[in-house]
Amino acid sequence: SKPPGYVEVSGRTLQEMIDRHASFVCHFSNPWMPLCKSFDGHLLTLASKFPDTRFVWCNMETNKATGQRLHITKAPTVISFRRGVAAGKIDSLSGLGGTCGFSTAALEAVLTSHQIIATESSSAKLWQAAGAGNEPACAQLLADGADVEWVGEISRTPL
């Protein structure tokens, strides 16, 4: 089991999240693999750093049908889902320098490129637009690729 902030989901729950058009990061893991454990540590760190982004993991040993349905051929695999659609995928070490010693910052950069986590600058812009009740500014941020669910949470948060 993983610490809070990084939650295990079943294949069925994962499919429900996709069907609801949710935005989240999912690590498809074989818990006994050292490389999967390494990803767990990095993803747990990112889950703490980006609490507005949902981070989950799916055990590939107990959810083989889910892996087959999503065409996952190796572990670890990390898929960023935006509004229920795969927005980016990391197969094993692809995009992370090809070595087991990759940094959390390298993983963060890849997930940022998937537009699944917000950088500090985009976070500040969203808070500013939502706090001012400025719908045109929020609309522009959405047009630029901001996450709808995330903007919605911010706009309902009292300042």
Side-chain angles (χ1 to χ4, degrees):
S1 104
K2 307 288 186 271
Y6 181 49
V7 198
E8 181 176 11
V9 294
S10 67
R12 181 181 185 150
T13 300
L14 182 66
Q15 189 59 53
E16 289 171 0
M17 291 170 69
I18 293 168
D19 291 345
R20 284 194 328 259
H21 304 290
S23 296
F24 60 97
V25 174
C26 185
H27 174 208
F28 297 90
S29 174
N30 283 323
W32 56 268
M33 290 180 64
L35 186 54
C36 289
K37 290 178 182 179
S38 176
F39 268 84
D40 287 340
H42 294 297
L43 290 166
L44 181 60
T45 298
L46 292 175
S48 296
K49 184 174 181 178
F50 298 99
D52 293 321
T53 301
R54 185 178 299 149
F55 288 82
V56 299
W57 69 281
C58 186
N59 185 329
M60 294 312 302
E61 292 182 333
T62 57
N63 294 285
K64 291 179 181 171
T66 300
Q68 290 171 346
R69 188 172 57 254
L70 295 173
H71 307 287
I72 296 170
T73 58
K74 55 180 108 169
T77 293
V78 175
I79 299 180
S80 300
F81 291 91
R82 290 187 69 227
R83 299 177 191 104
V85 177
K89 183 177 184 180
I90 303 168
D91 283 319
S92 191
L93 294 169
S94 64
L96 296 170
T99 67
C100 294
F102 68 93
S103 66
T104 301
L107 182 56
E108 179 179 339
V110 173
L111 295 177
T112 299
S113 75
H114 296 170
Q115 297 182 345
I116 193 67
I117 56 176
T119 61
E120 289 180 26
S121 60
S122 65
S123 175
K125 288 177 190 175
L126 287 169
W127 275 109
Q128 184 179 18
N134 189 343
E135 287 78 14
C138 287
Q140 183 59 50
L141 290 168
L142 291 171
D144 292 342
D147 188 334
V148 174
E149 291 177 346
W150 195 65
V151 171
E153 287 177 22
I154 290 173
S155 64
R156 288 191 302 271
T157 303
L159 297 176

